[in-house]
Amino acid sequence: MMETTTLKVSGMSCGGCVKSVTSVLLALPGVTQAEVSLEKGEATVEFEAGQVTREAMAQAIDDAGFEAS
Amino acid sequence: MMETTTLKVSGMSCGGCVKSVTSVLLALPGVTQAEVSLEKGEATVEFEAGQVTREAMAQAIDDAGFEAS
């Protein structure tokens, strides 16, 4: 079943940052779509429930040098 | 034995990008230091030879949404 969640992301300050956060989210197995907004400081992620967790998404963002909550 | 290598990195356009590239490099086991220059578009990495390869560094940068060569 597909689900959608939104994470707050801080530390992004340009389009390169947005692309980076998008890339690490899409690299997670189970993530099917990621829309990252610089203005809102948010990432909205569509994912297959049971294949990936919100915690894994936040960890991937943190590992890429940004802060997710 | 410690070695140093420099990779060209494109796609960085602000300090957030620099921090992102630095983070993914430092997360690799065997990498002991990473200095990333936005102006030069370069990452200079100090690493323990045999523990990590230049290819792994480039892959980590690519996975973070930038392009390394």
Side-chain angles (χ1 to χ4, degrees):
Chain A
M1 191 173 73
M2 300 304 292
E3 291 189 9
T4 301
T5 188
T6 298
L7 299 96
K8 286 280 172 195
V9 183
S10 61
M12 298 189 295
S13 47
C14 75
C17 298
V18 169
K19 193 177 165 201
S20 179
V21 171
T22 306
S23 295
V24 298
L25 288 170
L26 290 176
L28 294 172
V31 169
T32 53
Q33 198 174 330
E35 288 186 22
V36 180
S37 167
L38 179 61
E39 292 72 23
K40 296 182 184 171
E42 284 182 359
T44 300
V45 184
E46 191 181 275
F47 63 103
E48 185 67 34
Q51 286 191 20
V52 62
T53 62
R54 201 171 184 290
E55 287 67 32
M57 297 172 202
Q59 188 63 53
I61 292 168
D62 287 348
D63 290 346
F66 305 95
E67 298 86 44
S69 59
Chain B
M1 190 174 70
M2 301 302 291
E3 290 188 12
T4 301
T5 188
T6 298
L7 298 97
K8 286 280 173 194
V9 183
S10 61
M12 298 189 297
S13 47
C14 76
C17 297
V18 169
K19 192 177 165 201
S20 179
V21 171
T22 305
S23 296
V24 298
L25 287 171
L26 289 176
L28 294 172
V31 169
T32 53
Q33 197 175 332
E35 289 186 22
V36 180
S37 166
L38 179 59
E39 292 73 23
K40 295 183 186 173
E42 285 182 358
T44 300
V45 185
E46 189 181 275
F47 64 103
E48 185 67 34
Q51 285 191 22
V52 61
T53 62
R54 202 172 185 287
E55 287 66 33
M57 299 172 201
Q59 187 63 54
I61 293 170
D62 288 348
D63 289 348
F66 305 95
E67 297 89 43
S69 58

CSV table of all heavy atoms in Angstrom, one decimal, chain B residues 3-52:
chain,number,residue,atom,x,y,z
B,3,GLU,N,46.8,8.0,2.3
B,3,GLU,CA,46.9,8.6,1.0
B,3,GLU,C,46.0,9.8,0.8
B,3,GLU,O,45.0,9.9,1.6
B,3,GLU,CB,46.7,7.5,-0.1
B,3,GLU,CG,47.7,6.5,-0.1
B,3,GLU,CD,47.6,5.5,-1.3
B,3,GLU,OE1,46.8,5.9,-2.2
B,3,GLU,OE2,48.2,4.5,-1.4
B,4,THR,N,46.2,10.6,-0.2
B,4,THR,CA,45.4,11.7,-0.5
B,4,THR,C,45.0,11.7,-1.9
B,4,THR,O,45.9,11.4,-2.8
B,4,THR,CB,46.1,13.0,-0.1
B,4,THR,OG1,46.4,13.0,1.2
B,4,THR,CG2,45.2,14.2,-0.4
B,5,THR,N,43.7,11.9,-2.2
B,5,THR,CA,43.3,12.0,-3.6
B,5,THR,C,42.4,13.2,-3.8
B,5,THR,O,41.8,13.6,-2.8
B,5,THR,CB,42.6,10.7,-4.1
B,5,THR,OG1,42.4,10.8,-5.5
B,5,THR,CG2,41.3,10.5,-3.4
B,6,THR,N,42.3,13.7,-5.0
B,6,THR,CA,41.4,14.8,-5.3
B,6,THR,C,40.4,14.4,-6.4
B,6,THR,O,40.8,13.9,-7.4
B,6,THR,CB,42.2,16.1,-5.7
B,6,THR,OG1,43.1,16.5,-4.7
B,6,THR,CG2,41.3,17.2,-6.0
B,7,LEU,N,39.2,14.7,-6.1
B,7,LEU,CA,38.1,14.4,-7.1
B,7,LEU,C,37.5,15.7,-7.6
B,7,LEU,O,37.3,16.6,-6.7
B,7,LEU,CB,37.0,13.5,-6.5
B,7,LEU,CG,37.4,12.1,-6.0
B,7,LEU,CD1,37.6,12.2,-4.5
B,7,LEU,CD2,36.3,11.1,-6.3
B,8,LYS,N,37.2,15.8,-8.8
B,8,LYS,CA,36.4,16.9,-9.3
B,8,LYS,C,34.9,16.6,-9.0
B,8,LYS,O,34.4,15.5,-9.1
B,8,LYS,CB,36.5,17.0,-10.9
B,8,LYS,CG,37.8,17.5,-11.3
B,8,LYS,CD,37.9,19.0,-11.2
B,8,LYS,CE,39.2,19.6,-11.5
B,8,LYS,NZ,39.3,21.0,-11.1
B,9,VAL,N,34.3,17.7,-8.5
B,9,VAL,CA,32.8,17.5,-8.1
B,9,VAL,C,32.0,18.6,-8.7
B,9,VAL,O,32.3,19.8,-8.5
B,9,VAL,CB,32.7,17.6,-6.5
B,9,VAL,CG1,31.2,17.4,-6.2
B,9,VAL,CG2,33.6,16.6,-5.8
B,10,SER,N,31.1,18.3,-9.5
B,10,SER,CA,30.2,19.3,-10.1
B,10,SER,C,28.8,19.2,-9.5
B,10,SER,O,28.4,18.2,-9.0
B,10,SER,CB,30.2,19.2,-11.7
B,10,SER,OG,29.7,17.9,-12.0
B,11,GLY,N,28.1,20.3,-9.6
B,11,GLY,CA,26.7,20.3,-9.1
B,11,GLY,C,26.6,21.0,-7.8
B,11,GLY,O,25.5,21.2,-7.3
B,12,MET,N,27.7,21.4,-7.2
B,12,MET,CA,27.7,22.1,-5.9
B,12,MET,C,27.5,23.6,-6.2
B,12,MET,O,28.2,24.2,-7.0
B,12,MET,CB,28.9,22.0,-5.1
B,12,MET,CG,29.3,20.5,-4.7
B,12,MET,SD,30.7,20.4,-3.5
B,12,MET,CE,32.0,21.1,-4.5
B,13,SER,N,26.5,24.2,-5.5
B,13,SER,CA,26.3,25.7,-5.7
B,13,SER,C,26.2,26.5,-4.4
B,13,SER,O,26.0,27.7,-4.5
B,13,SER,CB,25.1,25.9,-6.6
B,13,SER,OG,24.0,25.2,-6.3
B,14,CYS,N,26.3,25.9,-3.3
B,14,CYS,CA,26.3,26.7,-2.0
B,14,CYS,C,27.0,25.9,-0.9
B,14,CYS,O,27.4,24.8,-1.1
B,14,CYS,CB,24.9,27.0,-1.7
B,14,CYS,SG,23.9,25.7,-0.9
B,15,GLY,N,27.0,26.5,0.3
B,15,GLY,CA,27.6,25.9,1.4
B,15,GLY,C,26.9,24.6,1.9
B,15,GLY,O,27.5,23.7,2.4
B,16,GLY,N,25.6,24.6,1.6
B,16,GLY,CA,24.9,23.3,2.0
B,16,GLY,C,25.3,22.2,1.1
B,16,GLY,O,25.5,21.0,1.6
B,17,CYS,N,25.6,22.4,-0.1
B,17,CYS,CA,26.1,21.4,-1.0
B,17,CYS,C,27.5,20.9,-0.5
B,17,CYS,O,27.8,19.7,-0.5
B,17,CYS,CB,26.3,21.9,-2.4
B,17,CYS,SG,24.8,22.4,-3.3
B,18,VAL,N,28.3,21.8,-0.2
B,18,VAL,CA,29.7,21.5,0.3
B,18,VAL,C,29.6,20.6,1.6
B,18,VAL,O,30.3,19.6,1.7
B,18,VAL,CB,30.5,22.8,0.7
B,18,VAL,CG1,31.7,22.5,1.4
B,18,VAL,CG2,30.8,23.6,-0.6
B,19,LYS,N,28.7,21.0,2.5
B,19,LYS,CA,28.5,20.2,3.7
B,19,LYS,C,28.0,18.8,3.4
B,19,LYS,O,28.4,17.8,4.0
B,19,LYS,CB,27.5,20.9,4.6
B,19,LYS,CG,27.5,20.4,6.0
B,19,LYS,CD,26.5,21.2,6.9
B,19,LYS,CE,26.3,20.4,8.2
B,19,LYS,NZ,25.1,20.8,8.9
B,20,SER,N,27.1,18.7,2.4
B,20,SER,CA,26.6,17.4,2.0
B,20,SER,C,27.7,16.5,1.4
B,20,SER,O,27.8,15.4,1.9
B,20,SER,CB,25.5,17.6,0.9
B,20,SER,OG,25.0,16.4,0.5
B,21,VAL,N,28.5,17.0,0.5
B,21,VAL,CA,29.6,16.2,0.0
B,21,VAL,C,30.6,15.8,1.0
B,21,VAL,O,31.0,14.7,1.1
B,21,VAL,CB,30.3,17.0,-1.2
B,21,VAL,CG1,31.5,16.3,-1.6
B,21,VAL,CG2,29.3,17.2,-2.4
B,22,THR,N,30.9,16.8,1.9
B,22,THR,CA,31.8,16.5,3.0
B,22,THR,C,31.2,15.3,3.9
B,22,THR,O,32.0,14.4,4.3
B,22,THR,CB,32.0,17.7,3.9
B,22,THR,OG1,32.4,18.8,3.0
B,22,THR,CG2,33.1,17.5,5.0
B,23,SER,N,30.0,15.4,4.2
B,23,SER,CA,29.3,14.4,5.1
B,23,SER,C,29.4,13.0,4.5
B,23,SER,O,29.7,12.0,5.2
B,23,SER,CB,27.9,14.8,5.3
B,23,SER,OG,27.8,16.0,6.0
B,24,VAL,N,29.0,12.9,3.2
B,24,VAL,CA,29.0,11.5,2.6
B,24,VAL,C,30.4,11.0,2.5
B,24,VAL,O,30.6,9.7,2.6
B,24,VAL,CB,28.2,11.5,1.3
B,24,VAL,CG1,26.8,11.9,1.5
B,24,VAL,CG2,28.9,12.3,0.2
B,25,LEU,N,31.4,11.8,2.3
B,25,LEU,CA,32.8,11.3,2.2
B,25,LEU,C,33.2,10.9,3.6
B,25,LEU,O,33.8,9.8,3.7
B,25,LEU,CB,33.7,12.4,1.7
B,25,LEU,CG,33.6,12.7,0.2
B,25,LEU,CD1,34.3,14.0,-0.2
B,25,LEU,CD2,34.0,11.5,-0.7
B,26,LEU,N,33.0,11.7,4.6
B,26,LEU,CA,33.4,11.3,5.9
B,26,LEU,C,32.7,10.1,6.5
B,26,LEU,O,33.2,9.4,7.4
B,26,LEU,CB,33.2,12.5,6.9
B,26,LEU,CG,34.2,13.7,6.7
B,26,LEU,CD1,33.8,14.8,7.6
B,26,LEU,CD2,35.6,13.3,6.9
B,27,ALA,N,31.5,9.8,5.9
B,27,ALA,CA,30.8,8.6,6.4
B,27,ALA,C,31.4,7.3,5.8
B,27,ALA,O,31.1,6.2,6.3
B,27,ALA,CB,29.3,8.7,5.9
B,28,LEU,N,32.3,7.4,4.8
B,28,LEU,CA,32.9,6.2,4.3
B,28,LEU,C,34.0,5.6,5.2
B,28,LEU,O,34.9,6.4,5.6
B,28,LEU,CB,33.5,6.5,2.9
B,28,LEU,CG,32.6,6.8,1.8
B,28,LEU,CD1,33.4,7.3,0.6
B,28,LEU,CD2,31.7,5.7,1.4
B,29,PRO,N,33.9,4.4,5.6
B,29,PRO,CA,35.0,3.8,6.4
B,29,PRO,C,36.3,3.9,5.7
B,29,PRO,O,36.4,3.6,4.6
B,29,PRO,CB,34.5,2.3,6.6
B,29,PRO,CG,33.1,2.3,6.3
B,29,PRO,CD,32.8,3.4,5.3
B,30,GLY,N,37.3,4.4,6.4
B,30,GLY,CA,38.6,4.5,5.8
B,30,GLY,C,39.0,6.0,5.5
B,30,GLY,O,40.1,6.3,5.3
B,31,VAL,N,37.9,6.8,5.3
B,31,VAL,CA,38.1,8.2,5.0
B,31,VAL,C,38.4,9.0,6.3
B,31,VAL,O,37.6,8.8,7.3
B,31,VAL,CB,36.9,8.9,4.3
B,31,VAL,CG1,37.1,10.4,4.2
B,31,VAL,CG2,36.8,8.3,2.9
B,32,THR,N,39.5,9.7,6.4
B,32,THR,CA,39.9,10.3,7.7
B,32,THR,C,39.7,11.8,7.6
B,32,THR,O,39.6,12.5,8.6
B,32,THR,CB,41.3,10.0,8.1
B,32,THR,OG1,42.2,10.3,7.0
B,32,THR,CG2,41.5,8.5,8.4
B,33,GLN,N,39.7,12.4,6.4
B,33,GLN,CA,39.6,13.8,6.3
B,33,GLN,C,39.0,14.2,4.9
B,33,GLN,O,39.4,13.5,3.9
B,33,GLN,CB,40.9,14.5,6.5
B,33,GLN,CG,40.8,16.0,6.8
B,33,GLN,CD,42.2,16.6,7.1
B,33,GLN,OE1,43.1,15.8,7.6
B,33,GLN,NE2,42.4,17.8,6.8
B,34,ALA,N,38.2,15.2,4.8
B,34,ALA,CA,37.7,15.6,3.5
B,34,ALA,C,37.6,17.1,3.5
B,34,ALA,O,36.9,17.7,4.4
B,34,ALA,CB,36.3,15.0,3.2
B,35,GLU,N,38.2,17.7,2.5
B,35,GLU,CA,38.1,19.2,2.3
B,35,GLU,C,37.5,19.4,1.0
B,35,GLU,O,38.0,19.0,0.0
B,35,GLU,CB,39.5,19.8,2.4
B,35,GLU,CG,40.1,19.8,3.8
B,35,GLU,CD,41.4,20.6,3.9
B,35,GLU,OE1,41.7,21.4,3.1
B,35,GLU,OE2,42.2,20.3,4.9
B,36,VAL,N,36.3,20.1,1.0
B,36,VAL,CA,35.6,20.3,-0.2
B,36,VAL,C,35.6,21.8,-0.5
B,36,VAL,O,35.2,22.6,0.4
B,36,VAL,CB,34.1,19.8,0.0
B,36,VAL,CG1,33.4,20.0,-1.3
B,36,VAL,CG2,34.2,18.3,0.3
B,37,SER,N,35.9,22.1,-1.8
B,37,SER,CA,36.0,23.5,-2.2
B,37,SER,C,34.9,23.8,-3.2
B,37,SER,O,34.9,23.2,-4.3
B,37,SER,CB,37.4,23.9,-2.8
B,37,SER,OG,37.3,25.1,-3.5
B,38,LEU,N,34.0,24.7,-2.9
B,38,LEU,CA,33.0,25.2,-3.8
B,38,LEU,C,33.6,25.9,-5.0
B,38,LEU,O,33.2,25.7,-6.1
B,38,LEU,CB,32.0,26.1,-3.0
B,38,LEU,CG,30.8,26.7,-3.8
B,38,LEU,CD1,29.9,25.6,-4.3
B,38,LEU,CD2,30.0,27.6,-2.9
B,39,GLU,N,34.6,26.8,-4.7
B,39,GLU,CA,35.2,27.6,-5.8
B,39,GLU,C,35.9,26.7,-6.8
B,39,GLU,O,35.7,26.9,-8.0
B,39,GLU,CB,36.2,28.6,-5.1
B,39,GLU,CG,35.6,29.7,-4.3
B,39,GLU,CD,35.0,29.2,-2.9
B,39,GLU,OE1,35.5,28.1,-2.5
B,39,GLU,OE2,34.1,29.8,-2.4
B,40,LYS,N,36.7,25.7,-6.3
B,40,LYS,CA,37.4,24.9,-7.2
B,40,LYS,C,36.6,23.7,-7.8
B,40,LYS,O,37.0,23.1,-8.7
B,40,LYS,CB,38.6,24.3,-6.5
B,40,LYS,CG,39.7,25.3,-6.0
B,40,LYS,CD,40.8,24.5,-5.4
B,40,LYS,CE,41.9,25.5,-4.8
B,40,LYS,NZ,42.9,24.8,-4.0
B,41,GLY,N,35.4,23.4,-7.1
B,41,GLY,CA,34.7,22.3,-7.5
B,41,GLY,C,35.5,21.0,-7.3
B,41,GLY,O,35.5,20.1,-8.1
B,42,GLU,N,36.1,20.9,-6.1
B,42,GLU,CA,37.0,19.8,-5.8
B,42,GLU,C,36.8,19.3,-4.4
B,42,GLU,O,36.4,20.0,-3.5
B,42,GLU,CB,38.4,20.2,-5.9
B,42,GLU,CG,38.9,20.3,-7.3
B,42,GLU,CD,40.4,20.7,-7.4
B,42,GLU,OE1,41.0,20.9,-6.3
B,42,GLU,OE2,41.0,20.8,-8.5
B,43,ALA,N,37.1,18.0,-4.2
B,43,ALA,CA,37.1,17.4,-2.9
B,43,ALA,C,38.5,16.7,-2.7
B,43,ALA,O,38.9,15.9,-3.6
B,43,ALA,CB,36.0,16.4,-2.7
B,44,THR,N,39.2,17.1,-1.7
B,44,THR,CA,40.5,16.5,-1.4
B,44,THR,C,40.3,15.6,-0.2
B,44,THR,O,39.8,16.1,0.9
B,44,THR,CB,41.5,17.6,-1.2
B,44,THR,OG1,41.7,18.4,-2.3
B,44,THR,CG2,42.9,16.9,-0.8
B,45,VAL,N,40.6,14.3,-0.4
B,45,VAL,CA,40.2,13.3,0.6
B,45,VAL,C,41.5,12.6,1.1
B,45,VAL,O,42.3,12.2,0.3
B,45,VAL,CB,39.3,12.3,0.0
B,45,VAL,CG1,38.8,11.3,1.1
B,45,VAL,CG2,38.1,13.0,-0.6
B,46,GLU,N,41.6,12.5,2.4
B,46,GLU,CA,42.7,11.8,3.0
B,46,GLU,C,42.1,10.4,3.5
B,46,GLU,O,41.0,10.4,4.1
B,46,GLU,CB,43.3,12.5,4.2
B,46,GLU,CG,44.5,11.9,4.8
B,46,GLU,CD,45.1,12.7,6.0
B,46,GLU,OE1,45.8,13.7,5.8
B,46,GLU,OE2,44.7,12.3,7.1
B,47,PHE,N,42.7,9.3,3.2
B,47,PHE,CA,42.1,8.0,3.5
B,47,PHE,C,43.2,7.0,3.7
B,47,PHE,O,44.4,7.1,3.4
B,47,PHE,CB,41.2,7.6,2.3
B,47,PHE,CG,42.0,7.4,1.0
B,47,PHE,CD1,42.3,6.1,0.6
B,47,PHE,CD2,42.4,8.4,0.2
B,47,PHE,CE1,42.9,5.9,-0.6
B,47,PHE,CE2,43.1,8.2,-1.0
B,47,PHE,CZ,43.3,7.0,-1.4
B,48,GLU,N,42.7,5.9,4.4
B,48,GLU,CA,43.6,4.8,4.7
B,48,GLU,C,43.6,3.8,3.5
B,48,GLU,O,42.5,3.3,3.1
B,48,GLU,CB,43.1,4.1,5.9
B,48,GLU,CG,43.9,2.9,6.4
B,48,GLU,CD,45.3,3.4,7.0
B,48,GLU,OE1,45.4,4.5,7.6
B,48,GLU,OE2,46.2,2.6,6.8
B,49,ALA,N,44.7,3.7,2.8
B,49,ALA,CA,44.8,2.9,1.6
B,49,ALA,C,44.4,1.5,1.9
B,49,ALA,O,44.8,0.9,3.0
B,49,ALA,CB,46.2,2.9,1.1
B,50,GLY,N,43.6,0.9,1.1
B,50,GLY,CA,43.1,-0.5,1.3
B,50,GLY,C,41.8,-0.6,2.0
B,50,GLY,O,41.1,-1.6,1.9
B,51,GLN,N,41.4,0.5,2.6
B,51,GLN,CA,40.1,0.5,3.3
B,51,GLN,C,39.0,1.1,2.5
B,51,GLN,O,37.8,0.8,2.7
B,51,GLN,CB,40.2,1.2,4.6
B,51,GLN,CG,40.9,0.4,5.7
B,51,GLN,CD,40.7,1.1,7.1
B,51,GLN,OE1,39.8,1.9,7.3
B,51,GLN,NE2,41.7,0.8,8.0
B,52,VAL,N,39.3,1.9,1.5
B,52,VAL,CA,38.3,2.6,0.7
B,52,VAL,C,39.0,3.0,-0.6
B,52,VAL,O,40.2,3.2,-0.7
B,52,VAL,CB,37.8,3.9,1.4
B,52,VAL,CG1,38.9,4.9,1.7
B,52,VAL,CG2,36.6,4.5,0.7
